[in-house]
Structure formats: C-alpha cells, structure tokens
Amino acid sequence: MVNIPNLLTVIRIGLIPVLVALFYLPLPYGNYVTMLFFLIAVFTDWLDGVIARRLQQTSNFGAFLDPVADKLLVTVVLIVLLQINPTTWLLLPAIIIISREIGVSAMREWMAKSGKSAVIAVSFKGKVKTFLQMTALALLIVGSGDVYSYHFLCGLVTLYLAMILTLWSLLDYMKKISIEPDSS
C-alpha cells in the first residue's frame, strides 16, 4: 500500500547506502555530513509514525516494513562503525544489539504466525532503547576515526546504556510470550 508513512520508510531504507558512501567519502566535515543524513533517516522514522497515526494511514505493510528499516539502519551503521573503529569496546554492544534485533524479529514472526502478534507490541522501554541507540550512533558517527574523541566516548557510554535496555527489553519480550512446543 502506497501512502506517506510507507514512502518515508522506503526513503529511510534508501538512505542506508547513502550513509555507507558518506562514511567513506573524503568530504570536509564528512563525519558531520554523515551524522546529518543519519539524523534525517531517524527523523523519517519518527515522522512516518506521527503521520500514520494522525492520518490513520497505518497498514500491515507499514507495520512490517518500519521495524525492518530501523533494524537495517542500526545494523549497517554499527557494522560500518566497527570497520572504521575496530575496538572490542564497540564490538560487544554491537553483537548484543544486532543479536537482540534479529531475535526479537524472529519472535515477532513466530508470534504473528501463532496469532499473538499483539503480545509483543513495542513498549515504552523499547522506545527509550531506540532513542538511546540513535543518540549513541549519531555521537559515534561524529567521533568515528578517533576512539579517544569526546563524541566517540560519549557515544560509547550511551551505546552501553542502550545495550543494557536492549537486554532488559529482550527479557521483557521473553516473559510476555510463552514458548509452547510445536504440535505439528
């Protein structure tokens, strides 16, 4: 279904290769330019939700694609940041965050097939986690290439806070669902 929120989500996905290219282009103030495009992508996530609710343009396709776009954005940025800044301090939260995103996606898929998709709707904790992740990634983008910069260190601390909320929200999801043996 083509509507404004879904179009914004597709634009967010389309910005991902642009972000990757910007990471590697030798532009003056390249880290800030890359962060600006990252923040535009993050803004489209917020905006598509607002528009979908206000104009009542929610759709099953949008409900599926929006979290996929978010997970792609976070995963790709974390991988590129790790490639530019290969440090164990960044590797640990990246592994945990990416693994959680894949795990929750799998749980949502399984619950949807079980007819229980409302059981694992996005929580307030998940929204705070996402805010912290996006803030951390913006700071890490600006500080990328200098792991001792103020931006990178603040981004790393914020990413660890996001990682803690990531694990906490994963535990909440796991409590909300009861994994029953498949009767097939």
Side-chain angles (χ1 to χ4, degrees):
M1 174 179 191
V2 177
N3 60 31
I4 295 169
N6 291 347
L7 182 60
L8 287 169
T9 301
V10 170
I11 289 170
R12 185 162 66 257
I13 293 169
L15 282 172
I16 294 170
V18 173
L19 280 168
V20 172
L22 288 171
F23 267 108
Y24 296 105
L25 288 174
L27 299 171
Y29 305 102
N31 292 359
Y32 290 94
V33 172
T34 305
M35 183 193 65
L36 176 65
F37 274 83
F38 174 75
L39 292 175
I40 290 169
V42 170
F43 179 71
T44 66
D45 182 29
W46 173 81
L47 187 60
D48 73 41
V50 169
I51 292 172
R53 285 185 295 279
R54 285 211 179 131
L55 300 180
Q56 297 178 341
Q57 291 185 345
T58 58
S59 67
N60 289 335
F61 179 70
F64 160 75
L65 193 60
D66 185 65
V68 169
D70 296 343
K71 287 165 184 28
L72 285 171
L73 179 64
V74 168
T75 300
V76 169
V77 169
L78 280 170
I79 290 169
V80 173
L81 283 168
L82 269 168
Q83 192 275 322
I84 293 171
N85 311 285
T87 170
T88 306
W89 292 105
L90 187 55
L91 180 63
L92 176 66
I95 288 171
I96 289 172
I97 289 168
I98 292 169
S99 297
R100 183 263 187 204
E101 298 302 344
I102 292 169
V104 168
S105 293
M107 282 192 275
R108 281 191 175 132
E109 174 89 14
W110 180 73
M111 294 303 287
K113 287 184 179 181
S114 302
K116 302 176 187 174
S117 58
V119 173
I120 55 172
V122 176
S123 68
F124 177 73
K125 206 176 293 166
K127 291 179 186 276
V128 173
K129 172 212 49 109
T130 300
F131 174 79
L132 287 174
Q133 277 181 358
M134 299 310 184
T135 301
L137 293 177
L139 289 166
L140 290 167
I141 289 168
V142 170
S144 69
D146 181 5
V147 296
Y148 298 106
S149 73
Y150 173 78
H151 290 101
F152 193 87
L153 294 173
C154 286
L156 201 55
V157 168
T158 308
L159 192 64
Y160 271 81
L161 293 173
M163 179 188 74
I164 291 166
L165 273 179
T166 294
L167 291 171
W168 191 7
S169 68
L170 175 63
L171 291 173
D172 279 354
Y173 279 130
M174 293 175 81
K175 286 179 190 175
K176 287 179 184 177
I177 63 172
S178 61
I179 302 174
E180 302 168 7
D182 192 9
S183 59
S184 53

